[in-house]
Amino acid sequence: MISLRALSGAFLALTASIVPAVGHDFQAGSITIDHPWSRATPPVAPVAGGYLTLTNDGHMADRLVSISSPLSERAEIHESTVIDGVASMRPVQNGIEIGAGDTIELQPGGIHIMFLKPSRPLKEGERFAATLVFEQAGTIDVEFAVQNMGARPESASEHEGHGEAVQ
């Protein structure tokens, strides 16, 4: 027969394994920040990308106005475009508006976050801290999970690496 102590221990182990998996979504007012992630970087990379999904469940539009991280000297919101076969990237002026009821995906090849002059290379499986600032919802601290160098939005949405500690 299974003892109450063994059963309690098994329940605690199960609970501990579930908490990190559901703990990678963040909330700021009516804005949900889903699975912030980045790719591992080579040793001397001058930038790192950041990706996430923003959902506004409120009745008013909000705007992501800035981002910062102790990982990098500066962080900017960028947009990638291809015009006449020429790819370019530029900072987004005035942030990103998230309309009431809308979802905005920041992903490779589109709107994304650029962490400029990171203090160290990013390694798969680790996490790093960042702070997002919204016009209405205010400031929220998040963690970016670092995926492998070839990660795509589909593989990142599988929430790999949730059990890792903040670096």
Side-chain angles (χ1 to χ4, degrees):
M1 179 166 229
I2 298 175
S3 74
L4 184 55
R5 178 177 283 173
L7 189 56
S8 296
F11 178 74
L12 287 174
L14 177 62
T15 303
S17 69
I18 292 172
V19 171
V22 297
H24 202 215
D25 296 340
F26 303 88
Q27 189 77 34
S30 63
I31 303 293
T32 300
I33 300 102
D34 183 37
H35 189 61
W37 66 282
S38 186
R39 290 181 174 143
T41 59
V44 294
V47 297
Y51 317 103
L52 48 80
T53 301
L54 301 169
T55 301
N56 183 351
D57 291 321
H59 300 290
M60 293 176 32
D62 203 342
R63 181 177 300 275
L64 174 62
V65 293
S66 69
I67 183 164
S68 62
S69 174
L71 171 76
S72 61
E73 281 188 19
R74 196 168 78 243
E76 298 176 348
I77 303 166
H78 280 204
E79 181 175 26
S80 296
T81 57
V82 177
I83 299 173
D84 296 327
V86 178
S88 66
M89 184 172 41
R90 63 179 174 80
V92 173
Q93 302 301 315
N94 304 317
I96 303 169
E97 182 172 315
I98 309 107
D102 286 350
T103 296
I104 305 290
E105 292 186 46
L106 280 66
Q107 59 187 351
I111 296 174
H112 58 279
I113 298 162
M114 290 299 295
F115 296 99
L116 305 166
K117 297 184 180 179
S119 59
R120 60 180 172 74
L122 298 178
K123 295 180 183 171
E124 181 179 355
E126 67 183 16
R127 292 181 180 222
F128 64 90
T131 301
L132 306 178
V133 179
F134 295 89
E135 272 183 353
Q136 305 298 320
T139 301
I140 183 159
D141 294 326
V142 299
E143 292 179 328
F144 281 76
V146 180
Q147 309 289 329
N148 66 52
M149 282 190 193
R152 298 172 174 224
E154 301 83 40
S155 63
S157 67
E158 294 169 4
H159 301 282
E160 300 166 356
H162 280 280
E164 308 303 323
V166 175
Q167 300 292 315

